[in-house]
């Protein structure tokens, strides 16, 4: 994909459905009783992998033009798959479905693409084994994973990382345990699982940074309206702030408190972002946003805000390039085990364009007031890297080429169409 520098961005965009919530709506609808109707589902490759996995587990899922119907069979209604479950590029699918499969009376095997086979799974293997799950992986850390029948016991698990995927995996296994299960985290990770499971009828208690789930609830089907994904909105938030004379309206953006770190960080940099029409959809806070070109300044982000914006840090790094002064990112070592090593890949690729950006073990140091030139850029088959580089390329002096940009289908299938619709060439 060739990205031309932009003189300004103008227009209104409806943000695609939240990836995290879309995954969970399929999973929870499958283990609930009755038919769950889902609106604004994200038709990205990752979420389609979740649909295919549950179809192989015996769930009838209908895909219509403007909604999806999941004909759930209850907590104990899944059937053994006749083949290996392919999770594609989706870490969410792999880790969350492992918790559900740990409670099934049949054996399942999970795998994924080359990226998934390199991503660490010990972080879910260890707590599941503490629950007496029978789970094996390559080198005890990687896919393929084989999960066999066992009798699960509830545990109190203190996670070493603030990870919604780890927390959700353990809580989902807790649905099938013989006693309650509690997960505690060092910082609060995104809480879509707790919110949505509660809406489906699960009994969940939350206290500080701990969540407890009670086993064997009667989950009932419901109607789900998926908010727009703030992780997808982040790219246009940053683009609208850094490209001169820009004004964008972003509709239907989820601003869950455990996800809005990117919004808070950009506001702290001096970004002109106005939230209006605030409302709730199925227990999730949502708003529309006005984004206007801004005079940004460098800041330091660290600590508890990091888990609330971990997926948006590549986009945030692009904003930092055009702020006055230096921006420092700390406590984000988790970026090294995403679809790519996002610390090294962002530093390397932005460096090709003339950025002054230095990697840290757990983050980056980014010098602002950058002047970027066009370059041939590599996505590393990482959708968030590809979109972040596309946003940076809008401010370059010459066009840029992004290789292997098709990976963007994973989370934002119409990204380039939306970018073209609001961009005016410089």
């Amino acid at each position: 994909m060739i990205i031309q520098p932009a003189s300004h961005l103008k227009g209104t965009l409806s943000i695609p459905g939240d990836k995290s919530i879309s995954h969970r709506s399929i999973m929870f609808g499958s283990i609930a009783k009755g038919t769950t109707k889902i609106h604004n589902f994200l038709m990205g490759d990752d979420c389609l992998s979740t649909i295919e996995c549950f179809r192989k587990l015996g769930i009838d899922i209908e895909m219509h033009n403007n909604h999806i119907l999941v004909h759930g069979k209850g907590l104990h209604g899944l059937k053994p798959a006749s083949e290996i479950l392919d999770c594609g590029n989706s870490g969410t699918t792999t880790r969350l479905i492992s918790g559900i499969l740990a409670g099934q009376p049949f054996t399942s095997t999970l795998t994924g693409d080359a990226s998934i086979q390199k991503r660490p799974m010990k972080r879910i293997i260890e707590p599941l084994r503490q629950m007496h799950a029978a789970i094996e992986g390559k080198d005890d850390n990687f896919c393929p994973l084989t999960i066999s029948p066992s009798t699960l016991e509830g545990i109190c698990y203190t996670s070493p990382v603030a990870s919604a995927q780890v927390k959700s995996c353990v809580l989902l296994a807790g649905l099938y345990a013989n006693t309650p299960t509690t997960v505690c985290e060092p910082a609060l990770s995104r809480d879509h699982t707790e919110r949505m499971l509660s809406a489906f009828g699960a009994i969940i208690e939350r206290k500080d940074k701990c969540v407890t789930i009670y086993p064997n609830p009667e989950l009932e089907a419901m109607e789900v309206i998926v908010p727009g994904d703030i992780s997808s909105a982040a790219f246009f938030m940053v683009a609208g702030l850094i490209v001169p004379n820009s004004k964008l309206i972003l509709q239907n953006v989820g601003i869950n408190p455990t996800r809005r770190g990117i919004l808070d960080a950009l506001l702290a940099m001096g970004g002109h972002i106005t939230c209006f029409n605030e409302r709730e959809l199925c227990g999730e806070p949502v708003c529309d946003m006005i984004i206007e070109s801004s005079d940004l300044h460098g800041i330091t982000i660290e600590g508890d805000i990091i888990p609330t914006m971990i997926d948006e840090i590549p986009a945030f790094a692009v904003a930092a390039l055009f702020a006055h002064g230096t921006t420092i990112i700390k406590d984000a070592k988790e970026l090294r085990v995403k679809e790519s090593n996002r610390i090294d890949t962002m530093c390397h690729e932005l460096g090709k364009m003339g950025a002054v950006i230095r990697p840290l073990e757990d983050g980056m140091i980014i010098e602002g007031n950058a002047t970027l030139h066009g370059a041939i850029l590599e996505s590393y088959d990482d959708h968030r890297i590809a979109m972040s580089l596309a946003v940076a390329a809008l401010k370059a002096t010459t066009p840029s080429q992004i290789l292997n940009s098709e990976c963007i289908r994973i989370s934002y299938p119409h990204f380039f169409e939306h970018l073209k619709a609001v961009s005016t060439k410089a």
Side-chain angles (χ1 to χ4, degrees):
M1 181 60 64
I2 304 294
I3 305 296
Q4 301 287 343
S7 64
H8 63 272
L9 306 177
K10 302 283 185 184
T12 299
L13 296 173
S14 184
I15 298 301
D18 188 285
K19 187 156 74 80
S20 297
I21 296 174
S22 294
H23 280 300
R24 287 160 173 79
S25 65
I26 297 295
M27 294 184 185
F28 304 167
S30 295
I31 58 175
K33 289 184 176 179
T35 299
T36 291
K37 187 175 185 178
I38 307 166
H39 303 273
N40 199 36
F41 182 85
L42 175 66
M43 293 292 186
D45 288 355
D46 273 12
C47 297
L48 296 177
S49 292
T50 292
I51 287 178
E52 288 309 308
C53 285
F54 278 89
R55 281 176 168 167
K56 289 176 181 176
L57 292 165
I59 302 300
D60 180 18
I61 300 174
E62 299 179 40
M63 301 173 68
H64 298 273
N65 287 336
N66 58 0
H67 67 274
I68 287 178
L69 298 177
V70 181
H71 300 285
K73 295 185 177 180
L75 204 60
H76 303 283
L78 300 181
K79 303 297 182 184
S82 60
E83 57 187 291
I84 291 175
L85 298 171
D86 186 354
C87 300
N89 186 253
S90 176
T92 303
T93 307
T94 309
R95 294 186 177 122
L96 268 63
I97 201 173
S98 294
I100 294 172
L101 294 176
Q104 303 305 316
F106 52 80
T107 297
S108 302
T109 299
L110 296 168
T111 192
D113 66 9
S115 171
I116 281 296
Q117 292 180 39
K118 295 176 183 176
R119 295 183 69 179
M121 295 297 156
K122 183 174 284 187
R123 56 181 54 187
I124 63 165
I125 291 173
E126 289 182 345
L128 289 177
R129 283 180 177 167
Q130 288 182 31
M131 300 178 76
H132 293 183
I135 177 170
E136 301 293 334
K138 181 182 178 183
D139 298 328
D140 227 23
N141 191 26
F142 302 103
C143 284
L145 300 177
T146 298
I147 304 170
S148 303
S150 62
T151 300
L152 299 182
E153 294 189 5
I155 60 171
C156 182
Y157 182 65
T158 300
S159 177
V161 294
S163 166
Q165 292 181 3
V166 173
K167 175 176 64 176
S168 299
C169 173
V170 177
L171 292 176
L172 288 168
L175 292 171
Y176 298 90
N178 54 12
T179 55
T181 295
T182 299
V183 181
C184 298
E185 300 181 286
L188 190 63
S189 66
R190 60 185 64 176
D191 65 355
H192 301 307
T193 292
E194 299 95 294
R195 288 174 182 258
M196 189 178 288
L197 274 180
S198 294
F200 272 94
I203 303 170
I204 290 177
E205 296 175 355
R206 292 191 270 189
K207 184 177 181 181
D208 299 325
K209 296 173 184 175
C210 297
V211 183
T212 299
I213 193 165
Y214 289 81
N216 293 303
E218 285 289 328
L219 302 182
E220 298 291 343
M222 61 179 288
E223 189 164 10
V224 177
I225 303 173
V226 180
D229 197 327
I230 194 169
S231 295
S232 297
F235 302 104
F236 286 99
M237 292 164 67
V238 171
L241 294 176
I242 66 175
V243 177
N245 306 311
S246 294
K247 183 177 181 180
L248 294 175
I249 297 175
L250 308 182
Q251 296 177 322
N252 192 40
V253 182
I255 49 171
N256 180 304
T258 63
R259 293 283 301 282
R260 59 171 285 154
I262 182 64
L263 173 60
D264 294 332
L266 292 174
L267 289 171
M269 297 179 88
H272 295 163
I273 303 175
T274 304
C275 295
F276 67 103
N277 193 21
E278 296 190 28
R279 57 207 186 274
E280 277 204 358
L281 293 177
C282 300
E284 292 281 350
V286 174
C287 75
D288 299 331
M289 294 180 178
I290 299 173
I291 316 294
E292 298 177 276
S293 304
S294 302
D295 192 22
L296 304 177
H297 57 81
I299 61 172
T300 296
I301 58 167
E302 59 187 329
D304 286 355
I305 195 174
I306 296 297
T308 71
M309 60 179 294
I310 192 70
D311 285 338
E312 295 78 58
I313 287 178
F316 174 78
V318 173
L321 288 175
F322 303 101
H324 299 294
T326 302
T327 293
I328 301 173
I329 302 168
K330 299 179 181 179
D331 301 323
K333 192 173 182 179
E334 186 73 6
L335 290 173
R336 292 193 175 277
V337 292
K338 291 291 186 177
E339 283 86 334
S340 69
N341 180 333
R342 288 179 176 165
I343 292 174
D344 290 348
T345 55
M346 285 298 290
C347 291
H348 186 262
E349 296 306 306
L350 291 173
K352 289 180 183 177
M353 303 177 77
V356 179
I357 176 170
R358 181 161 62 87
L360 302 174
E361 181 60 25
D362 65 346
M364 311 175 210
I365 298 175
I366 304 165
E367 300 299 333
N369 300 308
T371 299
L372 302 187
H373 54 77
I376 298 175
L377 305 167
E378 174 57 58
S379 73
Y380 298 86
D381 292 319
D382 186 329
H383 53 128
R384 302 204 195 279
I385 296 297
M387 287 184 279
S388 297
L389 296 175
V391 172
L394 296 174
K395 282 275 286 181
T397 55
T398 54
S400 297
Q401 181 179 4
I402 302 175
L403 305 178
N404 300 310
S405 59
E406 63 275 6
C407 61
I408 288 172
R409 292 196 311 262
I410 288 167
S411 63
Y412 202 151
H414 301 296
F415 173 76
F416 286 119
E417 295 169 38
H418 284 184
L419 191 63
K420 183 177 180 181
V422 299
S423 298
T424 299
K425 292 181 183 179

